[in-house]
Amino acid sequence: MTNDRETKKSIMGGDEREHRRLAMTLAAVLLLGAFQLGEGELKGNYSKLSGIIIPGFASTQLRAWSILDCPYSPLDFNPLDLVWLDTTKLLSAVNCWLKCMLLDPYNQTDHPECKSRPDSGLSAITELDPGYITGPLSSVWKEWVKWCIEFGIEANGIIAAPYDWRLSPSMLEERDLYFYKLKQTFETALKLRGGPSIVFAHSLGNNVFRYFLEWLKLEIAPKQYIQWLDDHIYAFFAVGAPLLGSTETVKGMLSGNTFGLPVSEGTARLMFNSFGSSLWMMPFSKYCRADAMYLKHFSGGIRKGPNTYQCEQKEFQSNYSGFSTNIINIEIPSTRGIDAYPSVSEFSQTNYSSMEYGLPTQLSFSAREISDGAFFKAIEDYDSDSKRTLHQLKKSYHDDPVLNPLTPWDRPPIKNVFCIYGVDSRTEVGYYFAPSGKPYPDNWIITDVIYEIEGSLVSRSGNQVEGNPGPASGDETVPYHSLSWCKTWLGPRVNITRAPQSEHDGSDVQVELNVEHHDEDVVPNMTRSPRVKYITYYEDSESIPGKRTAVWELDKANHRNIVRSPALMRELWLQIWHDIHADSPSKFVSKAKRGPLRDDDCYWDYGKARCAWPEYCEYRCSSVTP
């Protein structure tokens, strides 16, 4: 019999759960220097708060609500079977799987043979397909929920608000009463726990929440609107919000984006373009706005007239609609209609290698020309899907009675707004398309891609590209110009702090106070170490009385991974703990020091040959007898 030694780095404080929780609370106390202990308990009471999670695109499980026999596969679809994401059925019965995923491109109804509906509860958003796809597409909010459990949040304190991410905003309410149910969720949380909720939204979930706020404005009496928000929503954490849309959506609409799934790009394009939500994430100009169609909804709807879509002079005086470059550059073939894009039967009888095209024409399109439909009208004779796109664009977006979502955000009228996103990852911001000579859905190919990389534009081949790059690049999915739009919500003077993402003693924290800010971007004059990932905080609590606005930029934080970032979760919890203390000396939590909060934060310091952060962590050895 032999003894093996098992080693473990952990937060000090004993083995029992209560001791461990107390140790983490004490660590937070030391970090903040703001809490006061009274008879062993914190004066603040976060037990009254609820957290409501609104997931992003493709981040909610969909389950079958039909019986579908798959004749060429041993796997059938039965009610409550997982559809999104069951990769086993996708691989073995892709045609059946597609029937359960596709929607009618015109009216958003289900396939005649199969229908799918969103799952409910936290399990619907934590993991999409456990065990198959490793990475952010499969594991979404699981780490987030783990943090909540680790810090003692009760089961009814975290509420998921899953939805059918395939639908346009108006169809979410028409088919599923989603926004009505979301309103009931906030009201139930208030009655159950006695306090307001904190909203955590990611990616498309932010667009969903924005639409909810506009829908709510028309659902309740105007004089009660702000009071309802104050009573039910304490803070809004907008994570990875595509505030001006995402250029990657264009790639999905024209050539297909598989997101790592084992399907062809053509199949991915067919599926993506059948969803009404595909247009919800299109890039649009920050200079163009539209009026709502109705003045009132709760009294039956008083029609205001057709939507008015107007652009400022800046739209026509500047280039690229506020983005860094033209988003679409496309070659239009000289041959039109049937000759340009034949049917499948015609394609099988034609040798395209011998077909001669006339000299193509290259056209470029900005964000405004994409969102207002000018681009799709320009290729209508060359792409069979454009008619469907124009129909959905007008019906579900331009003529939406609540809100035209393809217009820039104003700051939500919520007490506390935190806008959080990643920066300085290579992000696609423009594409060159050319006709492939194949039928729809494979009729376009990407010939080149333009990336933004840390303040510069480069093509896929590595050549520099002219344009208007921002001071940073985006989060690998959403361009910087779109993510950073929330900086316009900050006031004329902003306090800026830059600190390392990892645990630190405060020696590398940089601060600039009362930095002038004039509606556009604000960039600090601060240094960077090439080996350190930073968080840069832009904070304003003075411009709007009684309200706070903050923007957090996380270096190299990936769009899909950011909700699993330990640094982000740590900052969220510290800010919330800071807020519940009534006598906090400042509006925002101090960034001066960051020690470990969890066992996972402890590590061995090889340079000093000891456990790092010895005042918080200890290195334990225990004997294990096999």
Side-chain angles (χ1 to χ4, degrees):
M1 183 178 298
T2 61
N3 290 338
D4 293 331
R5 300 187 60 147
E6 183 186 75
T7 58
K8 182 180 181 182
K9 300 178 287 293
S10 65
I11 297 283
M12 294 179 180
D15 295 329
E16 288 100 2
R17 181 180 297 274
E18 289 302 318
H19 286 177
R20 185 163 172 266
R21 186 177 301 167
L22 177 60
M24 288 186 286
T25 304
L26 289 174
V29 172
L30 291 172
L31 283 171
L32 297 177
F35 284 102
Q36 296 179 354
L37 295 177
E39 299 182 358
E41 295 183 355
L42 296 176
K43 284 187 176 181
N45 184 7
Y46 64 84
S47 64
K48 291 185 177 182
L49 295 175
S50 299
I52 296 180
I53 300 175
I54 306 179
F57 180 78
S59 297
T60 295
Q61 288 183 350
L62 302 178
R63 294 190 177 274
W65 201 247
S66 301
I67 300 175
L68 178 62
D69 178 33
C70 302
Y72 302 106
S73 171
L75 301 176
D76 297 328
F77 281 94
N78 294 298
L80 301 183
D81 281 358
L82 194 61
V83 176
W84 182 268
L85 186 62
D86 188 331
T87 45
T88 302
K89 290 184 177 178
L90 189 160
L91 289 168
S92 62
V94 64
N95 290 331
C96 271
W97 181 82
L98 279 173
K99 289 178 181 178
C100 295
M101 284 297 300
L102 292 171
L103 298 175
D104 184 279
Y106 284 91
N107 56 29
Q108 295 292 280
T109 55
D110 300 289
H111 191 278
E113 297 180 49
C114 186
K115 67 172 64 173
S116 297
R117 292 295 181 267
D119 203 355
S120 59
L122 283 172
S123 61
I125 66 172
T126 50
E127 282 193 293
L128 299 180
D129 187 16
Y132 178 76
I133 297 179
T134 58
L137 182 59
S138 176
S139 180
V140 189
W141 293 91
K142 185 177 181 180
E143 188 68 19
W144 191 289
V145 174
K146 181 181 175 183
W147 268 80
C148 296
I149 295 172
E150 216 171 329
F151 280 88
I153 305 300
E154 293 296 329
N156 62 5
I158 300 295
I159 305 167
Y163 59 95
D164 194 333
W165 42 267
R166 302 173 299 170
L167 297 177
S168 63
S170 57
M171 281 299 295
L172 276 175
E173 180 64 16
E174 181 179 329
R175 196 197 74 180
D176 294 346
L177 292 178
Y178 177 78
F179 299 110
Y180 173 79
K181 293 177 182 177
L182 186 57
K183 177 175 177 284
Q184 298 295 108
T185 299
F186 281 105
E187 292 172 348
T188 302
L190 177 61
K191 290 182 180 179
L192 181 64
R193 300 181 65 81
S197 297
I198 299 173
V199 177
F200 302 104
H202 177 240
S203 192
L204 179 63
N206 292 282
N207 297 16
V208 172
F209 183 64
R210 179 200 184 189
Y211 191 92
F212 166 73
L213 294 179
E214 294 297 320
W215 173 88
L216 184 68
K217 190 185 298 183
L218 304 176
E219 182 71 13
I220 63 178
K223 292 182 179 179
Q224 298 176 1
Y225 176 64
I226 297 299
Q227 188 61 50
W228 191 98
L229 294 180
D230 290 345
D231 291 342
H232 294 84
I233 303 176
Y234 173 74
F236 170 38
F237 288 90
V239 184
L243 300 173
L244 299 177
S246 173
T247 51
E248 202 173 77
T249 305
V250 172
K251 179 172 70 174
M253 295 179 68
L254 287 186
S255 66
N257 192 344
T258 66
F259 295 104
L261 292 176
V263 296
S264 68
E265 289 185 344
T267 300
R269 185 189 181 195
L270 273 174
M271 184 171 64
F272 187 70
N273 286 354
S274 77
F275 302 157
S277 63
S278 62
L279 301 175
W280 206 346
M281 299 172 286
M282 283 200 312
F284 52 86
S285 173
K286 65 181 182 180
Y287 300 121
C288 301
R289 296 180 177 270
D291 293 329
M293 207 175 207
Y294 291 95
L295 287 174
K296 295 181 180 179
H297 180 69
F298 55 86
S299 61
I302 300 175
R303 190 169 181 84
K304 189 177 181 180
N307 275 1
T308 57
Y309 185 77
Q310 296 180 338
C311 299
E312 301 174 17
Q313 283 299 316
K314 287 183 179 180
E315 170 64 28
F316 308 102
Q317 294 170 353
S318 59
N319 296 325
Y320 318 129
S321 296
F323 280 75
S324 55
T325 185
N326 283 320
I327 294 170
I328 295 178
N329 304 276
I330 192 167
E331 290 185 4
I332 301 297
S334 61
T335 309
R336 291 179 172 240
I338 295 176
D339 294 330
Y341 297 106
S343 66
V344 175
S345 60
E346 290 170 331
F347 176 69
S348 63
Q349 300 171 8
T350 304
N351 181 3
Y352 271 82
S353 62
S354 62
M355 176 175 285
E356 294 183 0
Y357 285 95
L359 186 66
T361 301
Q362 182 168 296
L363 302 176
S364 298
F365 297 89
S366 66
R368 173 183 59 83
E369 293 166 323
I370 296 170
S371 61
D372 69 8
F375 163 68
F376 299 103
K377 290 177 182 176
I379 66 168
E380 193 171 4
D381 291 338
Y382 312 100
D383 192 285
S384 60
D385 195 53
S386 292
K387 186 176 293 186
R388 186 276 317 172
T389 304
L390 288 167
H391 172 82
Q392 277 291 344
L393 187 61
K394 177 174 171 45
K395 175 185 176 183
S396 299
Y397 294 88
H398 293 171
D399 291 346
D400 188 292
V402 175
L403 168 74
N404 180 355
L406 304 179
T407 52
W409 287 49
D410 294 321
R411 184 195 183 280
I414 295 170
K415 289 180 181 177
N416 305 293
V417 175
F418 293 79
C419 186
I420 306 166
Y421 53 87
V423 294
D424 283 343
S425 294
R426 190 176 77 158
T427 306
E428 297 174 1
V429 294
Y431 304 95
Y432 285 82
F433 293 95
S436 66
K438 297 179 180 179
Y440 178 84
D442 298 309
N443 51 320
W444 300 107
I445 58 172
I446 296 177
T447 59
D448 205 355
V449 180
I450 302 173
Y451 300 95
E452 60 179 8
I453 303 176
E454 299 182 10
S456 62
L457 298 176
V458 297
S459 67
R460 187 161 53 184
S461 57
N463 297 322
Q464 291 287 328
V465 177
E466 292 185 2
N468 296 323
S473 53
D475 64 0
E476 205 171 292
T477 299
V478 182
Y480 175 78
H481 286 76
S482 180
L483 293 165
S484 64
W485 174 251
C486 53
K487 284 186 179 180
T488 62
W489 302 347
L490 297 165
R493 293 197 176 273
V494 182
N495 294 335
I496 306 176
T497 307
R498 177 171 287 167
Q501 291 185 23
S502 60
E503 291 72 27
H504 60 85
D505 60 7
S507 60
D508 194 19
V509 174
Q510 305 170 67
V511 180
E512 290 184 10
L513 301 177
N514 295 320
V515 177
E516 290 190 8
H517 172 235
H518 303 286
D519 295 330
E520 296 294 334
D521 203 356
V522 53
V523 181
N525 183 21
M526 294 177 175
T527 60
R528 289 180 181 273
S529 171
R531 293 190 295 268
V532 178
K533 293 181 181 178
Y534 294 96
I535 304 180
T536 306
Y537 308 82
Y538 305 81
E539 298 172 331
D540 173 25
S541 60
E542 305 296 333
S543 300
I544 307 176
K547 291 181 167 55
R548 294 181 302 169
T549 308
V551 177
W552 299 354
E553 293 183 344
L554 281 71
D555 291 354
K556 304 297 183 181
N558 178 280
H559 180 79
R560 298 182 180 91
N561 270 330
I562 191 170
V563 295
R564 304 190 298 170
S565 166
L568 169 60
M569 291 301 301
R570 180 194 66 213
E571 295 306 310
L572 288 176
W573 289 118
L574 293 180
Q575 185 64 58
I576 294 170
W577 274 334
H578 174 270
D579 288 356
I580 63 173
H581 178 53
D583 299 323
S584 298
S586 62
K587 295 291 185 180
F588 297 97
V589 64
S590 168
K591 318 304 189 293
K593 187 177 181 180
R594 288 293 182 267
L597 290 182
R598 306 186 305 162
D599 285 353
D600 293 345
D601 300 331
C602 297
Y603 61 93
W604 185 259
D605 188 336
Y606 287 95
K608 296 181 180 179
R610 70 179 187 186
C611 189
W613 299 97
E615 65 269 37
Y616 298 98
C617 305
E618 65 181 2
Y619 199 85
R620 298 176 183 169
C621 297
S622 58
S623 297
V624 178
T625 304

